[in-house]
Amino acid sequence: MAGRGDPPEGTPEGFPGGGEDEYRSVVFDEAFVRAARLQEFSARERMGEHAQAVRSLPSGTARSGSHQAVLLVLLVLLAFGTAVYLGVRNPYQPPVDQRAEPLRTTVVRLAPRAPVPGGEPARLFAHSPAAEYRVGAAGINLPVTGRTTHFAGSQVVAALGIAREYLVASSLNPDVLTEATVRLPRLLLDPDQHEQFDRSMESPADDGRHAPAAWLVRFDPQEVALADPAVRVQGTLRFEETGPDTLDVTADHTYTYALRPVARGAGPVATASLFTVHRTVRFRFDREDLRAHRTELLSSTSEAGPQACDTDTTGSLKPLLAGARASGADAGPAVTDPYATDRPAAPSLCGALSPKAQPSF
């Protein structure tokens, strides 16, 4: 016979422990029952009219949940307020693109007091102050750099690199020197200066704002040719922070070119001569310029010779070539040496070229 409490057919299969079911481990103690939000009415209470099967019990858990919800809202509001505050006070604000100023220009022609020496380019260079100068871009060296108060060392290096790139494009590129293009230096300029640059190239004027020689070095290809594409260069680059958002770079370099007149038909190659340009260019960079890889030219001074004082150099430089002499140069102003850097430019628009600046044999 089946034991007491067992069904007639015995304990069903699948129930372990001789009839213990799967809910054996669940214990509904008194604390669990009291914590329930819903509680069943007793049989007597359910006999009343309109009686409900269960009733809701007030619970401290509900009050606790309400307090947690309020606390969560406060935390969200605090986080939002902190984010807004940090956004306003964030020291790493997006870069401000400041309006570029117009370029201020000075171009000084240097007239020789004696005939211009001529010869082969190598021999001329060897007997001139440019004998120890480096060739091309190698002569434009970057200085030892470091951070400033508001600019990181990498930003200073970037500014010096852009300035050097502009000097190479505007003073050493053969296509720029021969008026074949002005695109390379223009691409490196702040767009605010494009209009002034374009007017200087298309409608040059000797007004301190629109002289091509202030932006770049170029010669009339109908009159002058490069006798040697290897330009000799020497000078310095300096940087300084001029404000929390501006970094200035000053370039002071002397460039020496070997030139000869354009050949007019068949005949012997004309004798070459040297032409020297001392350029002092001040660049300005804001953070947006550094990001966009461009620069702003604040001022530019060029002293170039040998040239005649009465020659119109508005459009391009007009070198005096081998054997030529500038009329009236003997009675000219005090001599100027374009190889002497780190000094103020000559106050007049025409100076006398120092004999020391010419090759001596």
Side-chain angles (χ1 to χ4, degrees):
M1 295 180 63
R4 184 179 179 181
D6 292 335
E9 62 275 14
T11 304
E13 294 182 359
F15 285 85
E20 294 182 4
D21 59 26
E22 57 182 322
Y23 300 103
R24 179 181 180 183
S25 61
V26 180
V27 179
F28 298 96
D29 58 10
E30 184 178 355
F32 178 86
V33 173
R34 289 180 179 179
R37 284 292 289 120
L38 298 178
Q39 184 172 337
E40 187 178 10
F41 286 99
S42 65
R44 182 179 299 276
E45 289 173 329
R46 291 199 299 270
M47 292 176 61
E49 187 177 1
H50 306 302
Q52 298 179 356
V54 296
R55 62 170 174 263
S56 298
L57 295 179
S59 173
T61 304
R63 291 191 299 271
S64 176
S66 176
H67 292 164
Q68 292 178 357
V70 173
L71 180 60
L72 179 60
V73 171
L74 291 176
L75 289 175
V76 171
L77 292 176
L78 179 61
F80 179 76
T82 302
V84 172
Y85 175 79
L86 292 177
V88 173
R89 295 295 301 272
N90 183 10
Y92 302 103
Q93 295 292 327
V96 178
D97 188 10
Q98 302 180 9
R99 182 74 181 178
E101 301 176 11
L103 170 65
R104 303 184 303 274
T105 69
T106 302
V107 179
V108 181
R109 291 161 290 180
L110 301 180
R113 291 183 169 178
V116 177
E120 290 301 311
R123 184 166 183 263
L124 291 171
F125 281 126
H127 291 83
S128 76
E132 303 300 325
Y133 283 14
R134 293 189 176 184
V135 176
I140 306 177
N141 297 313
L142 300 183
V144 177
T145 61
R147 64 168 294 113
T148 65
T149 303
H150 298 94
F151 288 86
S154 59
Q155 292 176 308
V156 174
V157 171
L160 291 168
I162 297 170
R164 181 179 185 272
E165 189 174 345
Y166 184 89
L167 295 175
V168 171
S170 63
S171 304
L172 301 177
N173 186 281
D175 291 335
V176 173
L177 296 177
T178 57
E179 295 190 357
T181 183
V182 295
R183 181 175 178 270
L184 296 177
R186 187 182 189 275
L187 287 175
L188 294 170
L189 289 175
D190 189 302
D192 292 339
Q193 292 191 318
H194 283 174
E195 182 179 356
Q196 184 185 7
F197 178 87
D198 293 341
R199 180 179 170 187
S200 299
M201 300 302 119
E202 297 166 3
S203 302
D206 188 13
D207 58 1
R209 286 289 188 270
H210 301 96
W215 300 94
L216 44 82
V217 177
R218 66 176 184 176
F219 307 103
D220 185 352
Q222 303 299 318
E223 302 292 334
V224 179
L226 293 174
D228 186 346
V231 183
R232 298 332 193 244
V233 186
Q234 181 168 292
T236 60
L237 283 169
R238 301 186 302 274
F239 67 91
E240 63 175 336
E241 182 180 303
T242 53
D245 297 308
T246 54
L247 186 68
D248 284 12
V249 173
T250 301
D252 189 347
H253 292 82
T254 298
Y255 307 83
T256 304
Y257 305 86
L259 307 175
R260 61 166 45 101
V262 173
R264 308 292 182 184
V269 176
T271 302
S273 60
L274 299 186
F275 186 82
T276 304
V277 179
H278 174 211
R279 296 186 73 194
T280 303
V281 183
R282 186 178 176 189
F283 302 87
R284 172 157 292 176
F285 300 87
D286 58 29
R287 300 181 194 280
E288 179 62 18
D289 289 331
L290 295 176
R291 186 196 65 79
H293 196 79
R294 69 193 190 196
T295 185
E296 168 192 347
L297 270 60
L298 283 183
S299 61
S300 174
T301 299
S302 295
E303 299 172 334
Q307 294 185 100
C309 289
D310 56 356
T311 300
D312 181 12
T313 58
T314 302
S316 59
L317 299 171
K318 299 293 192 301
L320 288 173
L321 302 176
R325 183 188 182 108
S327 59
D330 291 335
V335 297
T336 299
D337 184 358
Y339 289 94
T341 59
D342 296 320
R343 58 170 176 73
S348 62
L349 294 179
C350 188
L353 181 63
S354 171
K356 295 185 299 181
Q358 296 280 48
S360 57
F361 304 104

